[in-house]
Amino acid sequence: MSREMNIDKSKMTVVEGSYAVAHSVKVCKPNVISAYPITPQTHIVEDLSQFMADGEIPNCEYLNVESEFSALSALVGSAAVGARCYSATTSQGLELMHEVLFNVSGMRLPVVMTVTNRAVSAPISIWNDQQDSISQRDTGWIQMHAENIQEISDMTAQAYKISEDKDIMMPSMVCMDGFILSHVYEPLVLLEQDITDEFLPRYEPEYTLDPKNPLSFGAFADPNYYTEFRYMQQQAMERSLKKIEDVAEEFYDMYGRYFGGLIDEYQTEDADIILMAMGSIVGTIKDVVDKLRENNVKVGLLKVRTFRPFPAEAITNVIKDAKVVVVLDKNISLGLNEGALFTETKSVLYNTDIRVPTIGYMIGHGGRDIKMDTIERIIDEATEVMKTGIKKESQFVDVREDLL
Amino acid sequence: MKSLLVPGHRGCAGCCDAMAAKFTLMAAGEDCIVVNPTGCLEVMTTPYPETAWAVPWIHSLFENAGAVGSGIEAGLKALGKMNDTKVIVMGGDGGTLDIGMQAISGAFERGHDMTYVCIDNEAYMNTGVQRSGATPFNASTTTSPSGKVSFGNDRPKKNMPAIMVAHGSPYVATCSIGFPKDMIRKVERAVEVEGPTYIHSHAPCTTGWGFDTSKTVEVAKMAVMTGLWPLYEMEDGEVTRVKKLGKKVQPVEEYLKMQRRFKHLFTMEGGEERIAQIQALADKNIEDYGL
């Protein structure tokens, strides 16, 4: 449930989303930053570069690498010697990292990386959707999505605490919608250095590459051993479900800010219609919910904050009593005609006693604007589903027939 | 001297990689961290849960060893742990000249204090002797086989040391596992020089090249003695030392006939002409480097 936040308004400042992230990274005291420029991630790495140039990040090396592939590869080495590591990327850059993503998680290196979500080519598009990070869902990275710049700023520190926990040791992808959040100026409280020094302990991994205690990292595993590595990663992901909630609570206690752990809810308690979504669209939906609530439409929002690990239990607990669930996805699995959040939500309901009609909409691809009117229309259609059942299970929104 | 690559690994009898790795570690000593891209050396030394490495060692992927090495160096620096620790990458020719080229280029351009050792056995041996950018002219491999209308690989080797010199590397040297003392001296120099240094070691592969397992060193020596693999050092772009051959120089035929991968040159019509072309490559090396 949304909570009362204790935000000291005198501490609020107006900055760009990218600056807020860069500031958070600085406050988390990374040892190695490695990045390659790609729109709309650039402002983050530019701001970090300026911090470096001004000597504001001590004990840190900044690597201007020659590709995203090397950006993350360099961090494999840095994390293995015990450095706290950071990178940021998006879209094509994230896809280029694909092979390295598996490698980082397989070696249990707790790298934290911002993804400024952007559509993937072809056709090339610099604008927002979430196809890039969704396409990396099986790589063993914790994946979290933020609703606004305060949340992405705070989530960055939370991600380090979650990933570096000895019981977890899995990397985190903290996602913010490209441009919509990365380039927007909003008021927020920048991550506080004094509280963060207390909140986030030093990174002290159990195992490092150290000539005094030589260990081998990245050995090959034959069929007698491979399965257990994957099994242990899955167990760590399961442990992280609780850790993510705990860290959000601890953050709330120390900083007074809370945007949910695995999920967050808005007006769901008595809702007949529950919308589910991730990222900045959540803000738009909240406005629509407020508007429709004035007309006594019983509609609510389930914000999915953590996509990996998938919060199956948290989701089912919220939607079990709804009359219809509407899932909005800024991605598509081509050939299935469904977005990932929709598919996975349906999958967790199967084999349960919950029989709630669930429909999916694929929306906002390649940065197409998502208007309140569109959300309202979707809610109208959901109201129809409540009465007459599902006619169309999953569909694109606002396809321009004139272009087909 | 304590061996830092311990026995029990799964290398073939007469394995060139094991020799090259051992010589490199003899030069580098215990205070080093080794990065090893995917390849024979990686597979044969680290079948989980065993390892042959008595120094810290990491394998990430095939094409990113240069980047991983640079990240290790950056991490050590940031943590104040660099001290005298040497960062050493040991990669095969595929992982160096082909798929790993970009990551190495980036690491050298950024000027990291690390040494890259290419162990060049002139094809993708781990996957079954497929052609690489380091495969020499007219060698027969499984993806550049000789046949009724082919003499095998139709391109000369990529000149990787020259590329690394062009990156402004302060120290680039070629060596051979056939001359261990020379190799050890060069690796010692490479790890001592600050900045990104490059060692390119010729390494004959008994399995891939087709010669008896007892002949690895002999074949390696012959490559050098024909002038096909010149041994030289370059500091700040200038050749500072070469291994002179003088009157001991051997005709390339002596080298080619030791190996199955060149056998077709002695049986196919037109083979003589091909051997003459290979001799011309050696002659050019002899002239260029004043061997």
Side-chain angles (χ1 to χ4, degrees):
Chain A
M1 275 296 146
S2 296
R3 297 183 188 183
E4 207 54 45
M5 295 202 214
N6 313 310
I7 293 179
D8 178 357
K9 292 223 165 109
S10 70
K11 280 165 76 182
M12 289 188 97
T13 175
V14 176
V15 299
E16 194 192 40
S18 294
Y19 181 87
V21 169
H23 173 85
S24 289
V25 172
K26 177 179 81 169
V27 165
C28 290
K29 298 181 174 170
N31 302 117
V32 180
I33 301 168
S34 176
Y36 186 80
I38 178 169
T39 303
Q41 155 264 37
T42 43
H43 289 185
I44 298 173
V45 295
E46 287 168 8
D47 290 337
L48 284 168
S49 301
Q50 191 63 53
F51 292 147
M52 289 297 295
D54 293 336
E56 290 181 24
I57 315 182
N59 307 315
C60 181
E61 293 283 317
Y62 186 108
L63 304 183
N64 273 305
V65 289
E66 83 294 338
S67 70
E68 287 89 356
F69 194 90
S70 282
L72 193 53
S73 294
L75 296 185
V76 169
S78 304
V81 295
R84 177 171 285 162
C85 295
Y86 177 77
S87 190
T89 191
T90 176
S91 182
Q92 309 308 124
L94 184 61
E95 306 311 312
L96 184 59
M97 286 178 179
H98 180 67
E99 187 190 7
V100 197
L101 293 172
F102 277 106
N103 201 247
V104 170
S105 67
M107 285 211 260
R108 309 296 294 272
L109 302 170
V111 173
V112 170
M113 179 162 70
T114 306
V115 173
T116 54
N117 289 111
R118 167 186 148 181
V120 292
S121 183
I124 191 163
S125 161
I126 58 166
W127 292 276
N128 166 248
D129 65 31
Q130 294 167 349
Q131 191 71 55
D132 51 357
S133 58
I134 296 296
S135 300
Q136 305 299 343
R137 68 177 182 182
D138 298 333
T139 55
W141 283 59
I142 292 167
Q143 185 175 137
M144 303 177 82
H145 288 259
E147 145 186 14
N148 57 37
I149 73 170
Q150 181 74 66
E151 185 177 13
I152 190 70
S153 165
D154 295 349
M155 193 184 266
T156 305
Q158 293 180 10
Y160 276 111
K161 193 167 172 98
I162 296 160
S163 284
E164 292 175 358
D165 189 281
K166 282 186 172 54
D167 292 331
I168 311 294
M169 292 301 278
M170 295 287 271
S172 284
M173 212 176 268
V174 283
C175 303
M176 65 196 295
D177 284 329
F179 290 114
I180 301 168
L181 296 187
S182 64
H183 286 54
V184 77
Y185 281 72
E186 278 182 344
L188 87 161
V189 179
L190 289 167
L191 193 71
E192 301 89 333
Q193 186 71 65
D194 51 346
I195 310 177
T196 305
D197 286 344
E198 211 183 315
F199 172 75
L200 183 64
R202 276 171 60 95
Y203 174 46
E204 280 167 352
E206 275 177 274
Y207 305 107
T208 58
L209 292 171
D210 177 5
K212 289 187 198 76
N213 178 31
L215 299 173
S216 291
F217 280 48
F220 90 85
D222 73 20
N224 290 307
Y225 299 102
Y226 187 91
T227 303
E228 286 67 26
F229 283 90
R230 284 289 170 272
Y231 183 78
M232 288 190 286
Q233 279 179 279
Q234 174 55 29
Q235 285 190 313
M237 275 288 191
E238 282 168 27
R239 286 194 292 273
S240 75
L241 286 166
K242 181 168 186 303
K243 190 75 198 171
I244 290 164
E245 295 279 26
D246 290 350
V247 167
E249 291 297 338
E250 194 181 333
F251 194 94
Y252 182 55
D253 289 344
M254 293 178 73
Y255 296 80
R257 299 189 292 273
Y258 181 82
F259 290 90
L262 297 168
I263 58 162
D264 203 7
E265 297 171 66
Y266 190 70
Q267 303 276 21
T268 50
E269 221 158 74
D270 63 339
D272 292 330
I273 301 169
I274 295 181
L275 273 67
M276 290 175 59
M278 303 192 292
S280 63
I281 189 177
V282 160
T284 312
I285 297 171
K286 282 180 179 170
D287 283 350
V288 175
V289 168
D290 288 345
K291 188 180 163 194
L292 294 181
R293 282 274 171 181
E294 282 174 18
N295 303 332
N296 298 317
V297 180
K298 285 182 164 183
V299 60
L301 165 73
L302 164 54
K303 166 174 123 175
V304 177
R305 189 169 180 264
T306 305
F307 180 64
R308 279 292 178 275
F310 196 70
E313 196 183 333
I315 289 172
T316 47
N317 281 342
V318 175
I319 63 177
K320 63 181 191 301
D321 298 324
K323 293 192 175 135
V324 61
V325 171
V326 183
V327 185
L328 304 182
D329 269 289
K330 287 186 175 180
N331 68 88
I332 178 174
S333 175
L334 293 166
L336 183 62
N337 195 40
E338 290 181 3
L341 186 58
F342 178 53
T343 303
E344 301 199 356
T345 300
K346 283 195 300 173
S347 83
V348 299
L349 293 174
Y350 199 80
N351 289 334
T352 70
D353 297 330
I354 304 163
R355 285 289 167 266
V356 51
T358 306
I359 54 174
Y361 289 87
M362 289 163 289
I363 193 166
H365 291 249
R368 185 158 298 175
D369 202 17
I370 300 167
K371 298 187 172 123
M372 286 179 68
D373 288 356
T374 310
I375 306 286
E376 280 184 60
R377 203 185 69 232
I378 288 170
I379 293 168
D380 285 345
E381 289 177 15
T383 310
E384 276 305 301
V385 169
M386 255 194 318
K387 292 177 193 155
T388 60
I390 296 172
K391 299 253 164 30
K392 212 170 187 181
E393 196 188 9
S394 179
Q395 58 192 294
F396 271 86
V397 173
D398 290 339
V399 173
R400 286 183 56 186
E401 298 289 339
D402 59 313
L403 290 179
L404 301 176
Chain B
M1 183 185 274
K2 183 182 161 192
S3 180
L4 298 171
L5 186 77
V6 303
H9 62 71
R10 314 294 201 265
C12 304
C15 173
C16 56
D17 278 0
M19 288 187 221
K22 210 167 168 177
F23 299 153
T24 301
L25 291 178
M26 283 167 84
E30 282 179 315
D31 192 4
C32 70
I33 295 175
V34 172
V35 184
N36 197 176
T38 311
C40 271
L41 182 61
E42 167 259 323
V43 170
M44 76 196 209
T45 54
T46 60
Y48 182 88
E50 296 171 44
T51 181
W53 298 86
V55 293
W57 174 95
I58 185 169
H59 158 249
S60 171
L61 300 167
F62 199 0
E63 68 275 50
N64 69 355
V68 174
S70 72
I72 288 173
E73 184 248 25
L76 291 174
K77 267 189 184 167
L79 296 168
K81 290 182 180 172
M82 190 71 180
N83 305 321
D84 290 326
T85 301
K86 295 147 190 100
V87 179
I88 297 171
V89 184
M90 292 188 216
D93 47 294
T96 305
L97 281 70
D98 291 349
I99 198 167
M101 177 84 176
Q102 179 179 318
I104 297 160
S105 176
F108 272 59
E109 169 269 314
R110 293 192 297 276
H112 295 278
D113 190 8
M114 59 194 272
T115 296
Y116 195 106
V117 180
C118 174
I119 304 172
D120 180 4
N121 56 22
E122 303 191 325
Y124 291 92
M125 299 316 182
N126 192 40
T127 44
V129 201
Q130 292 86 13
R131 177 210 185 272
S132 79
T135 301
F137 182 64
N138 278 186
S140 181
T141 73
T142 54
T143 53
S144 66
S146 59
K148 285 173 190 156
V149 296
S150 173
F151 285 98
N153 182 45
D154 61 358
R155 297 286 304 154
K157 283 171 79 77
K158 187 191 283 187
N159 189 346
M160 189 69 184
I163 294 167
M164 301 329 286
V165 169
H167 278 76
S169 169
Y171 183 80
V172 172
T174 61
C175 60
S176 163
I177 58 163
F179 295 88
K181 278 187 186 165
D182 179 72
M183 178 166 179
I184 291 166
R185 183 183 61 79
K186 285 169 176 169
V187 177
E188 277 171 353
R189 179 84 184 120
V191 296
E192 179 192 301
V193 171
E194 210 181 312
T197 54
Y198 183 77
I199 298 284
H200 196 122
S201 178
H202 200 234
C205 169
T206 166
T207 313
W209 297 14
F211 55 79
D212 188 83
T213 54
S214 65
K215 304 285 186 204
T216 306
V217 171
E218 240 171 84
V219 174
K221 279 186 171 161
M222 192 57 84
V224 172
M225 295 316 291
T226 54
L228 278 173
W229 187 248
L231 301 186
Y232 59 86
E233 288 169 273
M234 293 183 79
E235 304 215 18
D236 298 320
E238 301 294 326
V239 178
T240 50
R241 193 158 158 179
V242 297
K243 178 174 172 58
K244 298 275 184 191
L245 304 178
K247 284 178 184 161
K248 288 183 190 158
V249 68
Q250 300 289 315
V252 296
E253 224 176 300
E254 294 301 313
Y255 172 63
L256 303 176
K257 73 182 185 194
M258 298 170 101
Q259 309 167 51
R260 188 183 59 230
R261 63 177 179 158
F262 293 115
K263 193 178 170 194
H264 57 286
L265 300 181
F266 299 94
T267 56
M268 282 171 70
E269 199 176 322
E272 271 175 33
E273 203 180 299
R274 296 293 171 143
I275 292 169
Q277 285 175 26
I278 295 169
Q279 184 62 57
L281 293 173
D283 292 346
K284 188 167 187 322
N285 282 340
I286 291 164
E287 195 187 321
D288 287 353
Y289 294 99
L291 305 179

